[in-house]
Amino acid sequence: MNALIIFVLLLALMLTGMPISISLGLTVLTFLFTMTSVPIESVALKIFTGIEKFEIMAIPFFILAGNFLTHGGVARRMINFASSMVGHWHGGLALAGVMACALFAAVSGSSPATVVAIGSIILPAMVKQGYPRGFGAGVITTSGALGILIPPSIVMVMYSVSTNTSVGKLFMAGVIPGMMLAMLLGLTTWFLARKHNYPRMKKASWGERFVTFKKSAWGLLLIVIVMGGIYSGAFTPTEAAAMAAVYAFIIAVFVYKDLKIKQVGKVLLDSAAMSAMLLYIITNAVLFSFLMTSENIPQAMAEWITGKGLGVISFLLVVNVLLLIAGNVMEPSSIVLIMAPILFPVAMKLGIDPVHFGILIVVNMEVGMCHPPVGLNLYVASGITKMGISELTVAVMPWLLTMLAFLMLITYVPQISLWLPNLIYN
């Protein structure tokens, strides 16, 4: 009964158009002060202890690094390198877009940042070359979603904070699924381009490829620094995020010189605003999680599911449906912070690996970012392409279906996610 009251209250507040973070906070406070005898001091204490985790510090640093890279010419050089490698195939520039999104995802940790950085450069070039605008928008909107699957990933950090799962293991687990999804999106792009005979580029010589690689090497080196530093034990994921921010600042301002010193203040302000928004969501989600636990809702849910005889296969199917529905009305950060503490105890009771469960949630979030009404990537792509959301929804459909097929594969073949972390950590 209490669970029903909580969710009806949350839904009612969200339907008024109130931001999700405020809806969460108000739901918790209303319920706590009217239906329980929890002292106000413990609420205040929970807010502070909830965001006191060291891992949360990684979020503002990865956001800052992503912003420096978006403004600092790194994306353009990655596109040039990708074009020299795959541009001569069917739909060459579109394939270069997929490859560039995968490379940029490996340094930014954010999907909208990847769509903005790569899309704003490659989409006008694709239209100029004769590609339909919808095709280019479909490629970039869905490939940009790789930003939260290929490590480092802000959404993975949030899952780690919610469930106390190792960030290092999650990052490692995202490598193979991320590369697989990039290949599948590339394959879909190539198939459509070949079918419609879209333009190809002139094949680059190995000399030209080397030149473009050399120019993009400073950006690509960030992947080595972040991933290599974490897995060699040189620094923690949070320290890696700080290193990434400093390194991104240096290459954007002093190496590539595409970002002027006077523009740095604006980048810092933008990053601070986005970080504050995410931290506010986290704070309220921590309170919501505290309320759920104090009312024994996850435990009751776990008992109900196991009592109904739901096995691992049917539970994972239910989780996918739930998360895809949630993706219709909420953005990824909120979904992870609300749903993970509820679903995680049930998954553990059924013996599902916490790292595999984390990757499954992240892939669900990717799909949610590419379909209406709340798909963040759709809105970002809409701003770049000047296309309507309904038009974009039709455009992304072939890639969205590919992502859904990939989601089923990740759900029921856990070894795809677990092989690499098990190899490194065992």
Side-chain angles (χ1 to χ4, degrees):
M1 187 61 194
N2 284 355
L4 188 66
I5 293 168
I6 292 166
F7 285 109
V8 166
L9 190 57
L10 178 62
L11 198 63
L13 289 170
M14 277 163 51
L15 287 172
T16 63
M18 194 180 284
I20 287 167
S21 50
I22 297 173
S23 305
L24 277 174
L26 272 179
T27 301
V28 174
L29 294 176
T30 307
F31 187 86
L32 284 177
F33 297 142
T34 57
M35 313 220 21
T36 68
S37 53
V38 175
I40 194 164
E41 292 84 0
S42 66
V43 176
L45 188 67
K46 193 67 205 166
I47 290 174
F48 279 105
T49 52
I51 56 166
E52 225 176 13
K53 291 180 175 145
F54 184 58
E55 292 89 351
I56 289 179
M57 280 305 295
I59 294 169
F61 284 125
F62 277 133
I63 288 170
L64 183 58
N67 276 347
F68 277 131
L69 295 169
T70 306
H71 293 86
V74 175
R76 192 175 68 249
R77 289 168 177 85
M78 283 183 174
I79 289 168
N80 292 340
F81 170 57
S83 301
S84 72
M85 296 304 289
V86 295
H88 57 286
W89 294 349
H90 284 282
L93 198 55
L95 285 172
V98 177
M99 187 176 165
C101 281
L103 291 172
F104 196 81
V107 293
S108 75
S110 160
S111 284
T114 306
V115 176
V116 169
I118 305 297
S120 54
I121 300 165
I122 211 162
L123 275 171
M126 284 176 75
V127 173
K128 202 172 169 186
Q129 262 201 24
Y131 287 90
R133 192 176 286 274
F135 179 78
V139 170
I140 298 304
T141 305
T142 48
S143 302
L146 291 166
I148 61 170
L149 180 57
I150 295 177
S153 157
I154 293 168
V155 173
M156 284 183 194
V157 175
M158 291 189 161
Y159 174 80
S160 161
V161 167
S162 305
T163 60
N164 287 325
T165 307
S166 157
V167 184
K169 279 190 178 179
L170 282 166
F171 279 7
M172 205 75 250
V175 174
I176 290 176
M179 286 162 67
M180 269 183 76
L181 183 56
M183 283 174 69
L184 289 170
L185 292 172
L187 198 64
T188 308
T189 304
W190 174 82
F191 175 77
L192 290 169
R194 189 162 175 256
K195 187 182 169 187
H196 298 291
N197 200 24
Y198 290 150
R200 299 159 78 165
M201 296 165 77
K202 189 170 74 70
K203 188 171 183 176
S205 68
W206 283 104
E208 288 166 328
R209 286 172 181 176
F210 181 71
V211 169
T212 58
F213 172 73
K214 209 166 75 173
K215 285 181 178 172
S216 65
W218 285 103
L220 297 171
L221 192 60
L222 184 54
I223 305 170
V224 180
I225 290 172
V226 171
M227 303 304 285
I230 292 170
Y231 301 116
S232 64
F235 35 72
T236 65
T238 306
E239 289 160 352
M243 286 286 294
V246 173
Y247 179 82
F249 165 73
I250 291 168
I251 60 168
V253 176
F254 300 111
V255 179
Y256 290 150
K257 296 179 181 167
D258 285 335
L259 189 71
K260 304 286 175 278
I261 287 283
K262 63 180 180 211
Q263 294 172 288
V264 171
K266 187 183 182 308
V267 173
L268 289 170
L269 269 175
D270 289 349
S271 305
M274 195 174 172
S275 302
M277 180 190 79
L278 283 177
L279 289 171
Y280 187 62
I281 293 172
I282 291 170
T283 309
N284 285 302
V286 162
L287 267 186
F288 190 75
S289 172
F290 162 68
L291 175 63
M292 293 275 117
T293 314
S294 69
E295 292 298 312
N296 269 342
I297 290 167
Q299 295 86 329
M301 199 172 159
E303 280 164 25
W304 182 80
I305 284 173
T306 46
K308 287 276 175 205
L310 269 191
V312 173
I313 292 175
S314 40
F315 170 71
L316 290 176
L317 189 64
V318 169
V319 167
N320 281 333
V321 171
L322 253 178
L323 292 174
L324 290 172
I325 292 169
N328 283 309
V329 290
M330 288 190 272
E331 46 82 48
S333 314
S334 308
I335 298 172
V336 171
L337 292 163
I338 294 168
M339 304 295 265
I342 299 170
L343 298 169
F344 187 76
V346 189
M348 293 310 96
K349 199 162 184 181
L350 290 169
I352 297 164
D353 188 282
V355 174
H356 168 230
F357 196 62
I359 298 299
L360 180 148
I361 287 181
V362 171
V363 176
N364 267 293
M365 297 305 97
E366 283 193 298
V367 177
M369 293 185 100
C370 302
H371 67 70
V374 191
L376 269 181
N377 286 10
L378 280 182
Y379 285 97
V380 175
S382 170
I384 298 169
T385 58
K386 305 288 182 283
M387 286 169 71
I389 295 295
S390 52
E391 205 183 341
L392 263 174
T393 306
V394 176
V396 301
M397 207 45 76
W399 293 273
L400 202 54
L401 292 171
T402 305
M403 289 169 88
L404 284 168
F406 175 72
L407 171 62
M408 296 318 289
L409 191 66
I410 284 294
T411 302
Y412 295 114
V413 188
Q415 280 314 109
I416 297 172
S417 314
L418 299 177
W419 180 76
L420 203 55
N422 288 347
L423 189 74
I424 287 177
Y425 285 90
N426 286 348

